[in-house]
Amino acid sequence: MQYEIFQHSKSIYSVKLNKERAGYLPEIKLELERCLPQLQEIAFSLDRLHLFFATPLALDHLVPYIDAVFSTPKKQLVQRNSWRLPICLEASDESDLSLYFKGNAFAVSDYIQRFLSIQFRLEFYGFLPGFGYLSGLPTNMILPRKANPKHNVLPGTVAIGGPFVGVYPQESPGGWHSICRCPIPWINFQTPPHVFIQPKGEVAFYAVDEDRFSILKTQAEQGQLNFDQFKL
Amino acid sequence: MIRFLRAGYYTSLQDEGRFGYRALGIPQAGPMDKKAFAMAQALLPLENDCHAIECTYLGPKMQFEKELHFVITGAQGDFQLDGVTIVLNRVYNGKKGSCLDIGKMTKGIRCYIRFLAQLNVPETMGSVSFYFPITPPTFKNNEVIKGNPLGGSDKAMAHLRVDDRYLNQTVLEAKKGPDWGLLSKEQQHQILQAKLSVIAHNRMGYKLAGGLENDFTSIESQMVIPGMVQLTPGGEFIVAMADGQVTGGYLQVLQLTEEAQSILSQKGEACALTFSYIPH
């Protein structure tokens, strides 16, 4: 079988997948949840599946289930939604791009124009509650993480870290390069499913002015924001 | 039911933790010292309620607005009920108006207070465990925990002899982590011989000095679980704890056993420690 499995403890495992299988992580997750009711929690990162059991489970007992799930051909059963989300370039108090390109305004605007044309894919959530890792940045737009993280990055800051794009859901220290701000909250803690973008969903960005940014942000804070307007 | 006259440092409410939300980037939270937490549950068992108040270094001063049984487990310290010294792992009965003062801890740094009461604290995402921004970060002065004290005369005055030698332990048993194999034999040996010392800590994790400088840079972000020992390029260890971020990009070298996580959670700054490798 073409996968690696790692046992962290008596009840926690990670399974590394090949690229083809990694594209079907939502389906694999669903199938494993069905056949392993003793699973307490299942999550995935870029190319790994992480299984958490409430009580110890032997590796020998787990492997046949994974073999069975992996041996059936996969097709997309879980809907991947596409989203188009507003960002505001002016609302970013200090864009790191200008710093990164040493004040070269042309390079900054070229970077932003290319950024706005990309269709990203949300791979997984991590780092902070509701911080999604978006893949899809071309190699020549990768920005290495900063050597010295910024102390407090503002909520809604859209930033680039290596090959990923992410939006800070709350104020936090951060080592990624901030480029603009998104007024839409990516997570709420009250109402399931808590996030509107499910993993493997697609995300693109479009620019709005400061007025529109403020209106959307206020609507979001008052719980009046209609998320459907951003769905494609 | 209980009013905080003084909240203490980082005093938080914990249950077993928040499970099932890791996929949204939400840590499991729950007690730092699971051993002490479990002891509190064993001394005052209740169906459907496994809360305990986690105190760090200096605990709260609380006034009982109703008669209430309680127990303290974990770190030792200067703990008093109405001015009389009280001990760990014994169930006490606080009267209405009584004052419980969880002073400075003297051995270990985290203790747990459990009440024989059904607390009236709403769960968020299946748990009452404090974790900002899902809940407030800590209790505040004058905050009141509401709930119903339960009559527990049969449980009152229970006392368990507890093996608390783990408070003195300085050896952290660990199994190999996912990236252990990326290290050379020499590097593995150095890690297992390392003289560790606590640089800083909070509920997210422990930062330990004593690692080795290395040139493993920016590894792809991977899942991090409590007890995972990560090696930074600068040569420090970061051990993820209850509120640790669910993903991280450092080298994942070792995984502490649950016992070792409890041992570590009772250590403050400058405590000296070593790893001890146990094969799978």
Side-chain angles (χ1 to χ4, degrees), chain A residues 7 41 45 48 50 127 130, chain B residues 20 22 24 222 245 247 280:
Chain A
Q7 184 169 11
E41 181 150 11
S45 47
R48 285 175 221 204
H50 308 278
F127 172 47
Chain B
R22 179 178 289 275
L24 302 182
Q222 281 303 342
Q245 290 172 2
T247 59
H280 267 284

Side-chain angles (χ1 to χ4, degrees), chain A residues 6-8 12 29 40-48 50 52 124-130 133 145 170 187-190 193-195, chain B residues 18-27 124-125 131-134 176-178 218-223 225 228 245-247 249 255 280:
Chain A
F6 184 85
Q7 184 169 11
H8 297 276
I12 307 176
K29 178 179 171 183
Q40 184 178 46
E41 181 150 11
I42 181 165
F44 48 83
S45 47
L46 198 58
D47 59 352
R48 285 175 221 204
H50 308 278
F52 299 77
F124 60 95
Y125 287 99
F127 172 47
L128 295 168
Y133 284 76
R145 277 171 227 183
Q170 66 196 66
I187 188 165
N188 83 80
F189 303 121
Q190 276 68 48
H194 304 291
V195 291
Chain B
R18 196 166 272 111
F19 299 100
Y21 296 96
R22 179 178 289 275
L24 302 182
I26 296 170
T124 313
M125 298 175 128
Y131 176 77
F132 185 79
I134 295 169
K176 69 176 177 196
S218 274
I219 303 223
E220 212 170 69
S221 276
Q222 281 303 342
M223 191 66 62
I225 56 174
M228 193 174 260
Q245 290 172 2
V246 300
T247 59
Q255 176 66 37
H280 267 284

Side-chain angles (χ1 to χ4, degrees), chain A residues 87-98:
Chain A
I87 53 158
C88 179
L89 297 159
E90 294 84 20
S92 189
D93 58 337
E94 41 192 308
S95 160
D96 291 329
L97 273 189
S98 164

Side-chain angles (χ1 to χ4, degrees), chain B residues 96-154:
Chain B
K96 184 178 173 184
S98 275
C99 183
L100 174 62
D101 189 347
I102 305 295
K104 277 190 188 145
M105 283 160 232
T106 50
K107 187 191 231 180
I109 62 163
R110 289 188 169 89
C111 74
Y112 293 82
I113 314 168
R114 177 164 165 80
F115 298 103
L116 187 63
Q118 214 85 51
L119 295 194
N120 188 9
V121 178
E123 291 185 348
T124 313
M125 298 175 128
S127 169
V128 299
S129 282
F130 279 17
Y131 176 77
F132 185 79
I134 295 169
T135 73
T138 57
F139 286 108
K140 293 181 187 69
N141 293 343
N142 284 320
E143 193 165 344
V144 178
I145 308 181
K146 297 204 171 101
N148 302 313
L150 302 174
S153 52
D154 54 328

Side-chain angles (χ1 to χ4, degrees), chain A:
Chain A
M1 271 282 161
Q2 315 125 293
Y3 66 90
E4 287 171 42
I5 187 159
F6 184 85
Q7 184 169 11
H8 297 276
S9 71
K10 288 191 179 101
S11 56
I12 307 176
Y13 294 88
S14 290
V15 186
K16 190 174 178 184
L17 313 177
N18 63 25
K19 204 169 177 171
E20 193 224 318
R21 280 205 194 97
Y24 294 103
L25 275 164
E27 285 75 17
I28 290 171
K29 178 179 171 183
L30 212 61
E31 277 188 58
L32 284 170
E33 276 169 345
R34 270 192 210 126
C35 71
L36 286 165
Q38 60 272 60
L39 263 174
Q40 184 178 46
E41 181 150 11
I42 181 165
F44 48 83
S45 47
L46 198 58
D47 59 352
R48 285 175 221 204
L49 196 61
H50 308 278
L51 308 172
F52 299 77
F53 295 93
T55 50
L57 182 80
L59 179 64
D60 295 348
H61 190 84
L62 174 62
V63 165
Y65 287 98
I66 296 178
D67 285 347
V69 169
F70 282 11
S71 63
T72 54
K74 293 284 161 286
K75 47 181 181 214
Q76 283 197 10
L77 301 170
V78 182
Q79 173 89 29
R80 272 81 162 154
N81 286 328
S82 293
W83 300 89
R84 206 164 155 267
L85 304 180
I87 53 158
C88 179
L89 297 159
E90 294 84 20
S92 189
D93 58 337
E94 41 192 308
S95 160
D96 291 329
L97 273 189
S98 164
L99 207 65
Y100 185 81
F101 289 111
K102 301 189 172 68
N104 181 340
F106 176 78
V108 172
S109 102
D110 179 58
Y111 191 95
I112 294 288
Q113 283 318 307
R114 285 194 290 153
F115 177 81
L116 292 174
S117 71
I118 298 166
Q119 175 141 307
F120 298 99
R121 184 164 82 163
L122 191 145
E123 299 291 351
F124 60 95
Y125 287 99
F127 172 47
L128 295 168
F131 184 97
Y133 284 76
L134 304 179
S135 69
L137 206 63
T139 321
N140 61 9
M141 289 181 70
I142 288 174
L143 306 181
R145 277 171 227 183
K146 294 194 236 175
N148 299 305
K150 196 190 274 184
H151 188 63
N152 44 0
V153 179
L154 293 176
T157 297
V158 182
I160 313 258
F164 291 110
V165 176
V167 180
Y168 286 77
Q170 66 196 66
E171 190 173 304
S172 156
W176 292 22
H177 299 268
S178 54
I179 58 171
C180 56
R181 281 179 82 193
C182 176
I184 314 296
W186 282 42
I187 188 165
N188 83 80
F189 303 121
Q190 276 68 48
T191 321
H194 304 291
V195 291
F196 63 99
I197 312 167
Q198 294 306 317
K200 308 299 169 188
E202 286 171 342
V203 181
F205 296 99
Y206 67 98
V208 296
D209 61 21
E210 270 183 286
D211 288 345
R212 183 76 189 139
F213 174 87
S214 302
I215 291 168
L216 289 169
K217 197 164 173 290
T218 308
Q219 284 178 348
E221 282 159 6
Q222 294 171 346
Q224 306 290 321
L225 192 65
N226 172 17
F227 284 79
D228 281 344
Q229 63 184 304
F230 308 116
K231 197 169 178 174
L232 288 180

